[in-house]
Amino acid sequence: MEKTELNTSVNEELQDEYVSEPLSIIDFKMITFSLAEKDYAIDIMKVKEIAKANNFTYVPNTAPFVLGVYNLRGDIIPIIDLRIFFNIPIKQRAKDTIESMVIINVDDQTFGIVVDRIDKVVGVSKNTIQPPHPIFGDINIKYIYGVVENSGQLYILLDVDRIFASRTVTETKAAVVESEALPADDSSKIGVADVAQSNDALDIRFIGDTLAALGQFYPSPVNSAWLEKRYYEWRDMRVASSIQIQSEDQAREFLSNFLSPNTRRFWSDAYMNSVLAALPDNDAKIITVWNVGCDSGYETYSLAVLLKQKYPRATIRIYANDADLLAISNAPMLTVPEEQVINRFKPYLVKGVNDSYSFNQEIKDMILFEYHDCLHQNTVPDVDLILARDVLSFIKAEKQSILLEEFRDKLKTTGVVILGANEMMPKQSGWMRQVMGDITTFSRE
């Protein structure tokens, strides 16, 4: 097997190009290189040497990013193409193309990683390394240790420990050893399930960070069960592509089944039956309700009809709030198209123009629509029911906790809270849960 090889010591070849920061403490050195015209770097302490080679030996049944194996002075090592690993488009390779490689050591195992171009050794101060942003770069944030600027260039510092601790690469190492008929390294097979679970947890965390940045959806104990379940669905859907979320469209796709039934529309008869069954008995003369995040009023009017049916002798007052000024301004004038009129609505409707209907004065008098941000001081009195479907998950986690405490303060002893279909009160938070068919209610302990 013919090879073109040029192995050189990092310190011998690159030290003369060493770049330092004047008047700074240089306590971190890194090898810099390019992938798809972007600048990356690896901690020099992980780098064994640099090399150029071609005609790698193909190994069957390995991942697509494994180009093959390479005989590095008697040591058979796998060669990984980071461009394929990170789903970066590359041009078709010509035969006998000489590749630039960085040879690295991770957990006493040696790998060669193929890059577009090796640049130089750069010295920086550790305190200049900044944490990455969830949407930074074209690769999954879990593989990025940080970002650092030097001489006007911004480098993405890769976390090779995390990259090469992944199950896929570990299995690749085992396959390479087996293909070369060398003694199996048991350490490469230990804890694969644990590593997979750990990687899943990291993926969920980083997907959550990206959802916060691109979808204003904030992971917390309120939605963690749904997020984990959705992650596994998402992962299975995207077996041929990266599971990371890279755009607002992908964030919307990921969140597509999060919202509660009948969001931004009048509730269906079936859903209203489910809510009706979940409402507690209450013989009070006045029933007070707080509808948080009422949007344009679809759920508010639907709930008003249900409350009128559930508590026919009570005076009902619904405080309906939303921070969307346009939506809350239009809510009092909301009409019901004829095709959306269900039998449950008919006693409370009056016909208007263009074959549409509006709710009668009795229903309208039950509701006070108000432009208000629930994160600010809430002036509603103590309430029997709080309806806050899909509200908590779209405010920051620390604010969620504050609002939940507000719910506790405002809710009467016999009252209940209804959250979104995929939201739950945090465990051990002093809330009792009751499941009634498709609806879950929460009450104070």
Side-chain angles (χ1 to χ4, degrees), residues 345-362:
F345 284 172
K346 286 182 178 179
Y348 309 102
L349 295 176
V350 292
K351 190 165 186 177
V353 296
N354 299 325
D355 295 324
S356 65
Y357 295 79
S358 60
F359 287 95
N360 63 21
Q361 199 60 43
E362 181 183 23

Side-chain angles (χ1 to χ4, degrees), residues 86 138-141 207 234 238 242-246 250:
F86 292 143
D138 299 324
I139 65 177
N140 195 318
I141 190 175
I207 281 178
W234 179 262
R238 301 179 66 82
S242 171
I243 62 172
Q244 64 181 304
I245 296 173
Q246 299 177 325
Q250 287 185 357

Side-chain angles (χ1 to χ4, degrees), residues 110-314:
T110 303
F111 298 87
I113 58 175
V114 171
V115 300
D116 288 339
R117 185 186 68 255
I118 297 171
D119 190 9
K120 58 198 170 200
V121 175
V122 173
V124 299
S125 176
K126 262 187 179 179
N127 60 20
T128 63
I129 300 174
Q130 301 295 318
H133 190 278
I135 61 173
F136 189 91
D138 299 324
I139 65 177
N140 195 318
I141 190 175
K142 75 175 183 178
Y143 299 131
I144 301 176
Y145 178 81
V147 294
V148 61
E149 184 178 5
N150 181 270
S151 299
Q153 284 185 281
L154 192 66
Y155 295 98
I156 302 171
L157 184 58
L158 298 179
D159 188 339
V160 292
D161 286 318
R162 187 164 289 168
I163 293 172
F164 288 91
S166 69
R167 179 176 60 177
T168 307
V169 176
T170 303
E171 291 171 346
T172 295
K173 177 68 176 179
V176 169
V177 171
E178 183 178 350
S179 72
E180 294 296 322
L182 295 176
D185 181 0
D186 291 338
S187 67
S188 68
K189 299 178 181 180
I190 293 174
V192 168
D194 294 337
V195 169
Q197 292 175 357
S198 176
N199 286 341
D200 285 342
L202 284 170
D203 281 335
I204 292 171
R205 190 185 82 188
F206 287 115
I207 281 178
D209 290 343
T210 310
L211 289 173
L214 296 177
Q216 285 72 57
F217 176 93
Y218 298 94
S220 73
V222 168
N223 51 49
S224 58
W226 175 85
L227 183 59
E228 181 176 354
K229 178 184 176 184
R230 179 58 174 161
Y231 160 74
Y232 289 111
E233 294 173 351
W234 179 262
R235 189 188 64 179
D236 293 342
M237 288 165 48
R238 301 179 66 82
V239 291
S241 58
S242 171
I243 62 172
Q244 64 181 304
I245 296 173
Q246 299 177 325
S247 67
E248 291 183 3
D249 286 342
Q250 287 185 357
R252 281 192 290 269
E253 183 182 357
F254 188 95
L255 295 170
S256 60
N257 65 357
F258 175 78
L259 296 179
S260 298
N262 305 144
T263 295
R264 298 188 181 91
R265 53 163 292 180
F266 292 111
W267 290 354
S268 68
D269 203 46
Y271 185 72
M272 293 183 78
N273 284 334
S274 297
V275 176
L276 185 63
L279 293 175
D281 293 332
N282 192 331
D283 57 3
K285 294 182 179 180
I286 301 176
I287 304 291
T288 307
V289 178
W290 185 15
N291 182 195
V292 187
C294 67
D295 197 59
S296 297
Y298 291 99
E299 70 176 20
T300 312
Y301 284 113
S302 302
L303 178 64
V305 170
L306 280 186
L307 295 174
K308 192 64 181 173
Q309 294 180 341
K310 180 73 174 180
Y311 313 113
R313 296 182 178 85

Side-chain angles (χ1 to χ4, degrees), residues 320-326 328-329 368-374:
N321 304 153
D322 201 280
D324 184 332
L325 181 58
L326 181 61
I328 200 72
S329 299
L368 175 62
F369 287 109
E370 182 180 17
Y371 170 68
H372 180 68
D373 185 344
C374 62

